[in-house]
Amino acid sequence: MIKEAKESQEKDEEYKSNTELLNWAQTYCCTFEKRIEEFKKHKDFNENDEGFKKLVELYQELKEATDKKDYPVIKKQLNKVEEMMKLVNELASKMPSQEKKDDEGYASGQDEDTLDVFFGAQL
């Protein structure tokens, strides 16, 4: 019984570890996918930028491993997240903000009613 309990505990720990890896990978995939789409929509976007190409490559590797639930590869790719974040920051710095503010300081397209509700709730 002790042997079975130890085996069960090891399987539970492995399952928990794999689940955590998968959750992190899915979260990062979602985040990087959104950033990639934002870059593509930006007026100053350059699809031939080497940093962008590398970001997309790393994203696709992580996404593929996540979809296949290939835990050893997911773990390897999660070690590259810092590199991906650095690439995102470098790309973002190359593309000035498209957000324009009106005379009252609101970002264009921002719903003033939403701001009133938010600030009203703060009072």
mmCIF file of all heavy atoms in Angstrom, residues 29-76:
data_model
loop_
_atom_site.group_PDB
_atom_site.id
_atom_site.type_symbol
_atom_site.label_atom_id
_atom_site.label_comp_id
_atom_site.label_asym_id
_atom_site.label_seq_id
_atom_site.Cartn_x
_atom_site.Cartn_y
_atom_site.Cartn_z
ATOM 1 N N CYS A 29 1.028 32.593 -24.331
ATOM 2 C CA CYS A 29 0.598 32.536 -25.729
ATOM 3 C C CYS A 29 -0.458 33.603 -26.019
ATOM 4 O O CYS A 29 -0.381 34.318 -27.018
ATOM 5 C CB CYS A 29 0.049 31.152 -26.086
ATOM 6 S SG CYS A 29 1.327 29.931 -26.390
ATOM 7 N N CYS A 30 -1.418 33.706 -25.144
ATOM 8 C CA CYS A 30 -2.479 34.692 -25.304
ATOM 9 C C CYS A 30 -1.903 36.108 -25.308
ATOM 10 O O CYS A 30 -2.239 36.928 -26.164
ATOM 11 C CB CYS A 30 -3.513 34.527 -24.193
ATOM 12 S SG CYS A 30 -4.913 35.638 -24.329
ATOM 13 N N THR A 31 -1.032 36.380 -24.376
ATOM 14 C CA THR A 31 -0.413 37.702 -24.259
ATOM 15 C C THR A 31 0.400 38.047 -25.500
ATOM 16 O O THR A 31 0.242 39.125 -26.077
ATOM 17 C CB THR A 31 0.492 37.767 -23.013
ATOM 18 O OG1 THR A 31 -0.304 37.512 -21.866
ATOM 19 C CG2 THR A 31 1.180 39.110 -22.897
ATOM 20 N N PHE A 32 1.254 37.126 -25.924
ATOM 21 C CA PHE A 32 2.104 37.399 -27.076
ATOM 22 C C PHE A 32 1.300 37.456 -28.374
ATOM 23 O O PHE A 32 1.610 38.239 -29.264
ATOM 24 C CB PHE A 32 3.241 36.390 -27.172
ATOM 25 C CG PHE A 32 4.282 36.589 -26.108
ATOM 26 C CD1 PHE A 32 4.549 35.597 -25.195
ATOM 27 C CD2 PHE A 32 4.982 37.787 -26.007
ATOM 28 C CE1 PHE A 32 5.503 35.786 -24.197
ATOM 29 C CE2 PHE A 32 5.938 37.989 -25.017
ATOM 30 C CZ PHE A 32 6.201 36.980 -24.111
ATOM 31 N N GLU A 33 0.262 36.656 -28.475
ATOM 32 C CA GLU A 33 -0.595 36.714 -29.657
ATOM 33 C C GLU A 33 -1.239 38.098 -29.778
ATOM 34 O O GLU A 33 -1.276 38.683 -30.866
ATOM 35 C CB GLU A 33 -1.670 35.634 -29.587
ATOM 36 C CG GLU A 33 -2.556 35.589 -30.802
ATOM 37 C CD GLU A 33 -3.568 34.451 -30.735
ATOM 38 O OE1 GLU A 33 -3.555 33.662 -29.782
ATOM 39 O OE2 GLU A 33 -4.381 34.367 -31.675
ATOM 40 N N LYS A 34 -1.724 38.622 -28.664
ATOM 41 C CA LYS A 34 -2.331 39.961 -28.674
ATOM 42 C C LYS A 34 -1.313 41.014 -29.066
ATOM 43 O O LYS A 34 -1.617 41.919 -29.844
ATOM 44 C CB LYS A 34 -2.929 40.287 -27.305
ATOM 45 C CG LYS A 34 -4.205 39.541 -27.011
ATOM 46 C CD LYS A 34 -4.737 39.868 -25.637
ATOM 47 C CE LYS A 34 -5.982 39.052 -25.339
ATOM 48 N NZ LYS A 34 -6.501 39.321 -23.995
ATOM 49 N N ARG A 35 -0.120 40.926 -28.506
ATOM 50 C CA ARG A 35 0.915 41.913 -28.840
ATOM 51 C C ARG A 35 1.294 41.840 -30.318
ATOM 52 O O ARG A 35 1.470 42.863 -30.969
ATOM 53 C CB ARG A 35 2.156 41.720 -27.971
ATOM 54 C CG ARG A 35 1.966 42.076 -26.512
ATOM 55 C CD ARG A 35 1.386 43.472 -26.292
ATOM 56 N NE ARG A 35 2.092 44.521 -26.975
ATOM 57 C CZ ARG A 35 2.743 45.523 -26.420
ATOM 58 N NH1 ARG A 35 2.783 45.620 -25.126
ATOM 59 N NH2 ARG A 35 3.343 46.439 -27.150
ATOM 60 N N ILE A 36 1.421 40.637 -30.849
ATOM 61 C CA ILE A 36 1.762 40.477 -32.264
ATOM 62 C C ILE A 36 0.687 41.119 -33.134
ATOM 63 O O ILE A 36 0.989 41.838 -34.092
ATOM 64 C CB ILE A 36 1.959 38.979 -32.609
ATOM 65 C CG1 ILE A 36 3.273 38.484 -31.979
ATOM 66 C CG2 ILE A 36 1.946 38.748 -34.106
ATOM 67 C CD1 ILE A 36 3.454 36.979 -31.994
ATOM 68 N N GLU A 37 -0.572 40.899 -32.794
ATOM 69 C CA GLU A 37 -1.675 41.499 -33.561
ATOM 70 C C GLU A 37 -1.656 43.023 -33.439
ATOM 71 O O GLU A 37 -1.914 43.729 -34.417
ATOM 72 C CB GLU A 37 -3.023 40.938 -33.096
ATOM 73 C CG GLU A 37 -3.237 39.490 -33.483
ATOM 74 C CD GLU A 37 -3.081 39.230 -34.975
ATOM 75 O OE1 GLU A 37 -3.645 39.994 -35.787
ATOM 76 O OE2 GLU A 37 -2.375 38.264 -35.330
ATOM 77 N N GLU A 38 -1.344 43.540 -32.245
ATOM 78 C CA GLU A 38 -1.235 44.993 -32.068
ATOM 79 C C GLU A 38 -0.139 45.560 -32.958
ATOM 80 O O GLU A 38 -0.316 46.603 -33.581
ATOM 81 C CB GLU A 38 -0.942 45.337 -30.605
ATOM 82 C CG GLU A 38 -2.106 45.123 -29.676
ATOM 83 C CD GLU A 38 -1.726 45.307 -28.207
ATOM 84 O OE1 GLU A 38 -0.582 45.720 -27.904
ATOM 85 O OE2 GLU A 38 -2.581 45.017 -27.361
ATOM 86 N N PHE A 39 0.995 44.886 -33.005
ATOM 87 C CA PHE A 39 2.092 45.362 -33.843
ATOM 88 C C PHE A 39 1.675 45.373 -35.315
ATOM 89 O O PHE A 39 1.961 46.323 -36.036
ATOM 90 C CB PHE A 39 3.344 44.496 -33.665
ATOM 91 C CG PHE A 39 4.032 44.678 -32.347
ATOM 92 C CD1 PHE A 39 4.475 43.593 -31.620
ATOM 93 C CD2 PHE A 39 4.245 45.943 -31.805
ATOM 94 C CE1 PHE A 39 5.129 43.746 -30.413
ATOM 95 C CE2 PHE A 39 4.886 46.119 -30.582
ATOM 96 C CZ PHE A 39 5.328 45.011 -29.881
ATOM 97 N N LYS A 40 0.988 44.323 -35.755
ATOM 98 C CA LYS A 40 0.575 44.233 -37.155
ATOM 99 C C LYS A 40 -0.378 45.364 -37.534
ATOM 100 O O LYS A 40 -0.385 45.815 -38.673
ATOM 101 C CB LYS A 40 -0.090 42.883 -37.436
ATOM 102 C CG LYS A 40 0.878 41.732 -37.479
ATOM 103 C CD LYS A 40 0.139 40.446 -37.778
ATOM 104 C CE LYS A 40 1.061 39.263 -37.871
ATOM 105 N NZ LYS A 40 0.323 38.014 -38.155
ATOM 106 N N LYS A 41 -1.189 45.806 -36.584
ATOM 107 C CA LYS A 41 -2.166 46.861 -36.854
ATOM 108 C C LYS A 41 -1.563 48.259 -36.785
ATOM 109 O O LYS A 41 -2.180 49.219 -37.225
ATOM 110 C CB LYS A 41 -3.331 46.763 -35.867
ATOM 111 C CG LYS A 41 -4.190 45.551 -36.078
ATOM 112 C CD LYS A 41 -5.286 45.476 -35.035
ATOM 113 C CE LYS A 41 -6.104 44.215 -35.207
ATOM 114 N NZ LYS A 41 -7.144 44.105 -34.168
ATOM 115 N N HIS A 42 -0.374 48.385 -36.242
ATOM 116 C CA HIS A 42 0.241 49.689 -36.042
ATOM 117 C C HIS A 42 0.668 50.283 -37.385
ATOM 118 O O HIS A 42 1.172 49.580 -38.254
ATOM 119 C CB HIS A 42 1.448 49.561 -35.118
ATOM 120 C CG HIS A 42 1.888 50.863 -34.547
ATOM 121 N ND1 HIS A 42 2.643 51.755 -35.263
ATOM 122 C CD2 HIS A 42 1.682 51.414 -33.334
ATOM 123 C CE1 HIS A 42 2.885 52.812 -34.513
ATOM 124 N NE2 HIS A 42 2.316 52.624 -33.329
ATOM 125 N N LYS A 43 0.488 51.590 -37.522
ATOM 126 C CA LYS A 43 0.795 52.258 -38.789
ATOM 127 C C LYS A 43 2.284 52.198 -39.128
ATOM 128 O O LYS A 43 2.654 52.247 -40.289
ATOM 129 C CB LYS A 43 0.320 53.702 -38.758
ATOM 130 C CG LYS A 43 1.032 54.598 -37.770
ATOM 131 C CD LYS A 43 0.497 56.020 -37.821
ATOM 132 C CE LYS A 43 1.146 56.901 -36.793
ATOM 133 N NZ LYS A 43 2.475 57.321 -37.141
ATOM 134 N N ASP A 44 3.151 52.068 -38.144
ATOM 135 C CA ASP A 44 4.592 52.017 -38.382
ATOM 136 C C ASP A 44 5.135 50.583 -38.391
ATOM 137 O O ASP A 44 6.342 50.379 -38.300
ATOM 138 C CB ASP A 44 5.332 52.832 -37.312
ATOM 139 C CG ASP A 44 5.008 54.307 -37.392
ATOM 140 O OD1 ASP A 44 4.799 54.797 -38.513
ATOM 141 O OD2 ASP A 44 4.952 54.962 -36.327
ATOM 142 N N PHE A 45 4.261 49.614 -38.510
ATOM 143 C CA PHE A 45 4.662 48.204 -38.466
ATOM 144 C C PHE A 45 5.544 47.849 -39.660
ATOM 145 O O PHE A 45 5.276 48.225 -40.794
ATOM 146 C CB PHE A 45 3.421 47.305 -38.448
ATOM 147 C CG PHE A 45 3.728 45.849 -38.637
ATOM 148 C CD1 PHE A 45 4.403 45.147 -37.654
ATOM 149 C CD2 PHE A 45 3.364 45.194 -39.794
ATOM 150 C CE1 PHE A 45 4.688 43.801 -37.821
ATOM 151 C CE2 PHE A 45 3.639 43.848 -39.965
ATOM 152 C CZ PHE A 45 4.300 43.155 -38.977
ATOM 153 N N ASN A 46 6.613 47.103 -39.393
ATOM 154 C CA ASN A 46 7.506 46.615 -40.433
ATOM 155 C C ASN A 46 7.590 45.100 -40.288
ATOM 156 O O ASN A 46 8.267 44.601 -39.390
ATOM 157 C CB ASN A 46 8.887 47.256 -40.300
ATOM 158 C CG ASN A 46 9.877 46.721 -41.314
ATOM 159 O OD1 ASN A 46 9.539 45.921 -42.171
ATOM 160 N ND2 ASN A 46 11.117 47.162 -41.195
ATOM 161 N N GLU A 47 6.926 44.383 -41.163
ATOM 162 C CA GLU A 47 6.887 42.917 -41.056
ATOM 163 C C GLU A 47 8.248 42.279 -41.290
ATOM 164 O O GLU A 47 8.452 41.124 -40.946
ATOM 165 C CB GLU A 47 5.854 42.325 -42.011
ATOM 166 C CG GLU A 47 6.194 42.494 -43.478
ATOM 167 C CD GLU A 47 5.116 41.958 -44.388
ATOM 168 O OE1 GLU A 47 4.039 42.551 -44.420
ATOM 169 O OE2 GLU A 47 5.369 40.930 -45.049
ATOM 170 N N ASN A 48 9.188 43.020 -41.854
ATOM 171 C CA ASN A 48 10.527 42.483 -42.101
ATOM 172 C C ASN A 48 11.496 42.744 -40.951
ATOM 173 O O ASN A 48 12.661 42.373 -41.038
ATOM 174 C CB ASN A 48 11.095 43.067 -43.397
ATOM 175 C CG ASN A 48 10.283 42.616 -44.596
ATOM 176 O OD1 ASN A 48 9.892 41.462 -44.697
ATOM 177 N ND2 ASN A 48 10.004 43.537 -45.498
ATOM 178 N N ASP A 49 11.020 43.350 -39.880
ATOM 179 C CA ASP A 49 11.855 43.611 -38.715
ATOM 180 C C ASP A 49 12.331 42.278 -38.131
ATOM 181 O O ASP A 49 11.527 41.377 -37.881
ATOM 182 C CB ASP A 49 11.047 44.394 -37.672
ATOM 183 C CG ASP A 49 11.885 44.814 -36.491
ATOM 184 O OD1 ASP A 49 12.244 43.937 -35.664
ATOM 185 O OD2 ASP A 49 12.174 46.009 -36.394
ATOM 186 N N GLU A 50 13.642 42.170 -37.954
ATOM 187 C CA GLU A 50 14.215 40.912 -37.454
ATOM 188 C C GLU A 50 13.685 40.564 -36.058
ATOM 189 O O GLU A 50 13.459 39.398 -35.748
ATOM 190 C CB GLU A 50 15.742 40.980 -37.459
ATOM 191 C CG GLU A 50 16.345 40.978 -38.854
ATOM 192 C CD GLU A 50 15.964 39.754 -39.674
ATOM 193 O OE1 GLU A 50 15.984 38.620 -39.136
ATOM 194 O OE2 GLU A 50 15.637 39.929 -40.862
ATOM 195 N N GLY A 51 13.505 41.575 -35.214
ATOM 196 C CA GLY A 51 12.971 41.334 -33.873
ATOM 197 C C GLY A 51 11.558 40.780 -33.937
ATOM 198 O O GLY A 51 11.206 39.869 -33.177
ATOM 199 N N PHE A 52 10.746 41.310 -34.855
ATOM 200 C CA PHE A 52 9.375 40.820 -35.009
ATOM 201 C C PHE A 52 9.378 39.379 -35.505
ATOM 202 O O PHE A 52 8.634 38.540 -34.995
ATOM 203 C CB PHE A 52 8.587 41.715 -35.968
ATOM 204 C CG PHE A 52 7.167 41.270 -36.138
ATOM 205 C CD1 PHE A 52 6.231 41.508 -35.140
ATOM 206 C CD2 PHE A 52 6.766 40.596 -37.276
ATOM 207 C CE1 PHE A 52 4.923 41.080 -35.276
ATOM 208 C CE2 PHE A 52 5.454 40.169 -37.424
ATOM 209 C CZ PHE A 52 4.532 40.414 -36.426
ATOM 210 N N LYS A 53 10.219 39.094 -36.476
ATOM 211 C CA LYS A 53 10.302 37.724 -37.007
ATOM 212 C C LYS A 53 10.694 36.738 -35.906
ATOM 213 O O LYS A 53 10.127 35.649 -35.807
ATOM 214 C CB LYS A 53 11.305 37.652 -38.154
ATOM 215 C CG LYS A 53 10.830 38.300 -39.431
ATOM 216 C CD LYS A 53 11.895 38.176 -40.511
ATOM 217 C CE LYS A 53 11.487 38.823 -41.802
ATOM 218 N NZ LYS A 53 12.544 38.699 -42.827
ATOM 219 N N LYS A 54 11.651 37.136 -35.075
ATOM 220 C CA LYS A 54 12.098 36.264 -33.984
ATOM 221 C C LYS A 54 10.989 36.075 -32.954
ATOM 222 O O LYS A 54 10.764 34.959 -32.480
ATOM 223 C CB LYS A 54 13.352 36.866 -33.318
ATOM 224 C CG LYS A 54 13.934 36.022 -32.229
ATOM 225 C CD LYS A 54 14.518 34.735 -32.771
ATOM 226 C CE LYS A 54 15.190 33.955 -31.668
ATOM 227 N NZ LYS A 54 15.662 32.652 -32.104
ATOM 228 N N LEU A 55 10.269 37.151 -32.632
ATOM 229 C CA LEU A 55 9.149 37.055 -31.690
ATOM 230 C C LEU A 55 8.098 36.077 -32.205
ATOM 231 O O LEU A 55 7.625 35.216 -31.469
ATOM 232 C CB LEU A 55 8.525 38.433 -31.462
ATOM 233 C CG LEU A 55 7.261 38.463 -30.607
ATOM 234 C CD1 LEU A 55 7.546 37.970 -29.188
ATOM 235 C CD2 LEU A 55 6.674 39.870 -30.587
ATOM 236 N N VAL A 56 7.749 36.199 -33.466
ATOM 237 C CA VAL A 56 6.739 35.313 -34.059
ATOM 238 C C VAL A 56 7.227 33.867 -34.044
ATOM 239 O O VAL A 56 6.463 32.948 -33.712
ATOM 240 C CB VAL A 56 6.374 35.770 -35.491
ATOM 241 C CG1 VAL A 56 5.521 34.732 -36.196
ATOM 242 C CG2 VAL A 56 5.659 37.117 -35.451
ATOM 243 N N GLU A 57 8.486 33.662 -34.350
ATOM 244 C CA GLU A 57 9.049 32.309 -34.349
ATOM 245 C C GLU A 57 8.968 31.686 -32.951
ATOM 246 O O GLU A 57 8.518 30.541 -32.793
ATOM 247 C CB GLU A 57 10.507 32.366 -34.811
ATOM 248 C CG GLU A 57 11.224 31.041 -34.761
ATOM 249 C CD GLU A 57 12.709 31.194 -35.057
ATOM 250 O OE1 GLU A 57 13.093 32.079 -35.849
ATOM 251 O OE2 GLU A 57 13.493 30.420 -34.471
ATOM 252 N N LEU A 58 9.388 32.426 -31.946
ATOM 253 C CA LEU A 58 9.344 31.920 -30.571
ATOM 254 C C LEU A 58 7.909 31.688 -30.108
ATOM 255 O O LEU A 58 7.615 30.689 -29.435
ATOM 256 C CB LEU A 58 10.057 32.886 -29.622
ATOM 257 C CG LEU A 58 11.567 32.997 -29.805
ATOM 258 C CD1 LEU A 58 12.125 34.137 -28.973
ATOM 259 C CD2 LEU A 58 12.251 31.683 -29.458
ATOM 260 N N TYR A 59 7.021 32.605 -30.477
ATOM 261 C CA TYR A 59 5.606 32.447 -30.139
ATOM 262 C C TYR A 59 5.054 31.158 -30.761
ATOM 263 O O TYR A 59 4.365 30.386 -30.093
ATOM 264 C CB TYR A 59 4.794 33.660 -30.607
ATOM 265 C CG TYR A 59 3.326 33.358 -30.725
ATOM 266 C CD1 TYR A 59 2.531 33.252 -29.592
ATOM 267 C CD2 TYR A 59 2.737 33.140 -31.971
ATOM 268 C CE1 TYR A 59 1.180 32.940 -29.698
ATOM 269 C CE2 TYR A 59 1.395 32.838 -32.083
ATOM 270 C CZ TYR A 59 0.622 32.733 -30.949
ATOM 271 O OH TYR A 59 -0.704 32.417 -31.059
ATOM 272 N N GLN A 60 5.334 30.952 -32.033
ATOM 273 C CA GLN A 60 4.806 29.763 -32.720
ATOM 274 C C GLN A 60 5.326 28.472 -32.105
ATOM 275 O O GLN A 60 4.584 27.496 -31.989
ATOM 276 C CB GLN A 60 5.130 29.831 -34.211
ATOM 277 C CG GLN A 60 4.316 30.884 -34.929
ATOM 278 C CD GLN A 60 4.734 31.097 -36.378
ATOM 279 O OE1 GLN A 60 5.851 30.782 -36.771
ATOM 280 N NE2 GLN A 60 3.827 31.659 -37.156
ATOM 281 N N GLU A 61 6.591 28.466 -31.687
ATOM 282 C CA GLU A 61 7.153 27.280 -31.037
ATOM 283 C C GLU A 61 6.443 27.000 -29.714
ATOM 284 O O GLU A 61 6.112 25.849 -29.407
ATOM 285 C CB GLU A 61 8.651 27.462 -30.804
ATOM 286 C CG GLU A 61 9.463 27.448 -32.078
ATOM 287 C CD GLU A 61 10.912 27.862 -31.872
ATOM 288 O OE1 GLU A 61 11.310 28.169 -30.721
ATOM 289 O OE2 GLU A 61 11.652 27.887 -32.869
ATOM 290 N N LEU A 62 6.209 28.048 -28.944
ATOM 291 C CA LEU A 62 5.507 27.892 -27.664
ATOM 292 C C LEU A 62 4.067 27.452 -27.895
ATOM 293 O O LEU A 62 3.566 26.543 -27.225
ATOM 294 C CB LEU A 62 5.550 29.195 -26.864
ATOM 295 C CG LEU A 62 4.840 29.187 -25.509
ATOM 296 C CD1 LEU A 62 5.431 28.130 -24.574
ATOM 297 C CD2 LEU A 62 4.911 30.561 -24.871
ATOM 298 N N LYS A 63 3.402 28.062 -28.851
ATOM 299 C CA LYS A 63 2.007 27.745 -29.152
ATOM 300 C C LYS A 63 1.867 26.290 -29.607
ATOM 301 O O LYS A 63 0.961 25.569 -29.163
ATOM 302 C CB LYS A 63 1.481 28.705 -30.227
ATOM 303 C CG LYS A 63 0.070 28.441 -30.678
ATOM 304 C CD LYS A 63 -0.920 28.894 -29.653
ATOM 305 C CE LYS A 63 -2.320 28.815 -30.239
ATOM 306 N NZ LYS A 63 -3.283 28.344 -29.279
ATOM 307 N N GLU A 64 2.756 25.851 -30.483
ATOM 308 C CA GLU A 64 2.705 24.474 -30.983
ATOM 309 C C GLU A 64 2.900 23.471 -29.842
ATOM 310 O O GLU A 64 2.160 22.492 -29.733
ATOM 311 C CB GLU A 64 3.785 24.272 -32.047
ATOM 312 C CG GLU A 64 3.746 22.902 -32.692
ATOM 313 C CD GLU A 64 4.789 22.761 -33.781
ATOM 314 O OE1 GLU A 64 4.973 23.704 -34.571
ATOM 315 O OE2 GLU A 64 5.416 21.683 -33.833
ATOM 316 N N ALA A 65 3.883 23.725 -28.988
ATOM 317 C CA ALA A 65 4.135 22.829 -27.853
ATOM 318 C C ALA A 65 2.944 22.826 -26.900
ATOM 319 O O ALA A 65 2.565 21.780 -26.369
ATOM 320 C CB ALA A 65 5.400 23.251 -27.116
ATOM 321 N N THR A 66 2.332 23.996 -26.713
ATOM 322 C CA THR A 66 1.175 24.109 -25.825
ATOM 323 C C THR A 66 -0.009 23.338 -26.397
ATOM 324 O O THR A 66 -0.681 22.602 -25.665
ATOM 325 C CB THR A 66 0.803 25.591 -25.629
ATOM 326 O OG1 THR A 66 1.931 26.268 -25.071
ATOM 327 C CG2 THR A 66 -0.370 25.755 -24.704
ATOM 328 N N ASP A 67 -0.248 23.497 -27.682
ATOM 329 C CA ASP A 67 -1.361 22.788 -28.315
ATOM 330 C C ASP A 67 -1.188 21.270 -28.242
ATOM 331 O O ASP A 67 -2.155 20.534 -28.074
ATOM 332 C CB ASP A 67 -1.514 23.224 -29.776
ATOM 333 C CG ASP A 67 -2.024 24.653 -29.917
ATOM 334 O OD1 ASP A 67 -2.546 25.214 -28.920
ATOM 335 O OD2 ASP A 67 -1.887 25.219 -31.021
ATOM 336 N N LYS A 68 0.050 20.815 -28.361
ATOM 337 C CA LYS A 68 0.335 19.372 -28.319
ATOM 338 C C LYS A 68 0.492 18.851 -26.886
ATOM 339 O O LYS A 68 0.616 17.642 -26.694
ATOM 340 C CB LYS A 68 1.625 19.078 -29.088
ATOM 341 C CG LYS A 68 1.514 19.279 -30.570
ATOM 342 C CD LYS A 68 2.834 18.962 -31.237
ATOM 343 C CE LYS A 68 2.745 19.128 -32.732
ATOM 344 N NZ LYS A 68 4.034 18.831 -33.390
ATOM 345 N N LYS A 69 0.530 19.789 -25.920
ATOM 346 C CA LYS A 69 0.787 19.438 -24.511
ATOM 347 C C LYS A 69 2.089 18.647 -24.382
ATOM 348 O O LYS A 69 2.180 17.651 -23.677
ATOM 349 C CB LYS A 69 -0.389 18.675 -23.912
ATOM 350 C CG LYS A 69 -1.645 19.519 -23.845
ATOM 351 C CD LYS A 69 -2.783 18.804 -23.184
ATOM 352 C CE LYS A 69 -3.997 19.730 -23.167
ATOM 353 N NZ LYS A 69 -5.161 19.097 -22.603
ATOM 354 N N ASP A 70 3.098 19.149 -25.101
ATOM 355 C CA ASP A 70 4.438 18.566 -25.081
ATOM 356 C C ASP A 70 5.209 19.240 -23.947
ATOM 357 O O ASP A 70 5.889 20.244 -24.137
ATOM 358 C CB ASP A 70 5.113 18.803 -26.437
ATOM 359 C CG ASP A 70 6.436 18.095 -26.564
ATOM 360 O OD1 ASP A 70 7.001 17.671 -25.531
ATOM 361 O OD2 ASP A 70 6.922 17.971 -27.709
ATOM 362 N N TYR A 71 5.087 18.681 -22.748
ATOM 363 C CA TYR A 71 5.585 19.334 -21.537
ATOM 364 C C TYR A 71 7.089 19.609 -21.532
ATOM 365 O O TYR A 71 7.493 20.701 -21.115
ATOM 366 C CB TYR A 71 5.137 18.571 -20.296
ATOM 367 C CG TYR A 71 3.631 18.537 -20.192
ATOM 368 C CD1 TYR A 71 2.905 17.376 -20.427
ATOM 369 C CD2 TYR A 71 2.920 19.696 -19.906
ATOM 370 C CE1 TYR A 71 1.522 17.368 -20.350
ATOM 371 C CE2 TYR A 71 1.536 19.697 -19.831
ATOM 372 C CZ TYR A 71 0.848 18.521 -20.054
ATOM 373 O OH TYR A 71 -0.527 18.520 -19.992
ATOM 374 N N PRO A 72 7.928 18.686 -22.001
ATOM 375 C CA PRO A 72 9.365 19.017 -22.030
ATOM 376 C C PRO A 72 9.664 20.221 -22.941
ATOM 377 O O PRO A 72 10.475 21.083 -22.585
ATOM 378 C CB PRO A 72 10.027 17.750 -22.562
ATOM 379 C CG PRO A 72 9.066 16.656 -22.235
ATOM 380 C CD PRO A 72 7.703 17.279 -22.342
ATOM 381 N N VAL A 73 8.996 20.307 -24.064
ATOM 382 C CA VAL A 73 9.208 21.431 -24.978
ATOM 383 C C VAL A 73 8.606 22.707 -24.389
ATOM 384 O O VAL A 73 9.191 23.788 -24.505
ATOM 385 C CB VAL A 73 8.634 21.135 -26.388
ATOM 386 C CG1 VAL A 73 8.758 22.348 -27.301
ATOM 387 C CG2 VAL A 73 9.332 19.927 -27.003
ATOM 388 N N ILE A 74 7.449 22.594 -23.758
ATOM 389 C CA ILE A 74 6.839 23.765 -23.104
ATOM 390 C C ILE A 74 7.818 24.339 -22.088
ATOM 391 O O ILE A 74 8.045 25.549 -22.047
ATOM 392 C CB ILE A 74 5.502 23.405 -22.420
ATOM 393 C CG1 ILE A 74 4.424 23.100 -23.458
ATOM 394 C CG2 ILE A 74 5.049 24.540 -21.504
ATOM 395 C CD1 ILE A 74 3.130 22.560 -22.874
ATOM 396 N N LYS A 75 8.389 23.470 -21.285
ATOM 397 C CA LYS A 75 9.344 23.917 -20.259
ATOM 398 C C LYS A 75 10.521 24.634 -20.915
ATOM 399 O O LYS A 75 10.950 25.704 -20.458
ATOM 400 C CB LYS A 75 9.825 22.724 -19.443
ATOM 401 C CG LYS A 75 10.607 23.101 -18.226
ATOM 402 C CD LYS A 75 10.881 21.864 -17.377
ATOM 403 C CE LYS A 75 11.520 22.258 -16.073
ATOM 404 N NZ LYS A 75 11.722 21.110 -15.195
ATOM 405 N N LYS A 76 11.023 24.069 -21.998
ATOM 406 C CA LYS A 76 12.141 24.676 -22.726
ATOM 407 C C LYS A 76 11.738 26.041 -23.287
ATOM 408 O O LYS A 76 12.483 27.016 -23.173
ATOM 409 C CB LYS A 76 12.569 23.742 -23.857
ATOM 410 C CG LYS A 76 13.670 24.257 -24.728
ATOM 411 C CD LYS A 76 13.966 23.268 -25.845
ATOM 412 C CE LYS A 76 14.772 23.933 -26.930
ATOM 413 N NZ LYS A 76 14.800 23.160 -28.156
#
